[in-house]
Amino acid sequence: MATEAEINSQIGNATRELAPGTTWEYHMPGDGYYCLEWMDDPKLQPTEADTMAKATELAENPPDPLL
């Protein structure tokens, strides 16, 4: 099971996967979903639940660092 820090570190990657081509900024230090500053059409913003689920998935199954 991923830690909260591991999940929070994947928020940006999750957002990129859920809303490709959109404009947003991630402000550090991160506190999860609420560190995202959305600068695009609000209709394109993934929900907190979707973003956190994707971030958890990415944290629990990190890609091979050699790829």
Side-chain angles (χ1 to χ4, degrees):
M1 177 164 230
T3 66
E4 183 177 349
E6 290 169 327
I7 294 168
N8 285 343
S9 73
Q10 293 295 330
I11 297 293
N13 293 328
T15 303
R16 272 188 214 95
E17 285 196 29
L18 295 170
T22 56
T23 305
W24 49 272
E25 247 180 72
Y26 188 75
H27 297 284
M28 296 297 284
D31 186 22
Y33 182 79
Y34 295 100
C35 284
L36 284 177
E37 179 183 353
W38 195 256
M39 295 182 252
D40 216 313
D41 182 348
K43 294 177 187 173
L44 300 174
Q45 184 174 9
T47 65
E48 179 180 6
D50 289 344
T51 302
M52 296 310 290
K54 186 62 166 178
T56 301
E57 175 187 322
L58 292 170
E60 290 177 347
N61 303 294
D64 185 342
L66 300 176
L67 296 179

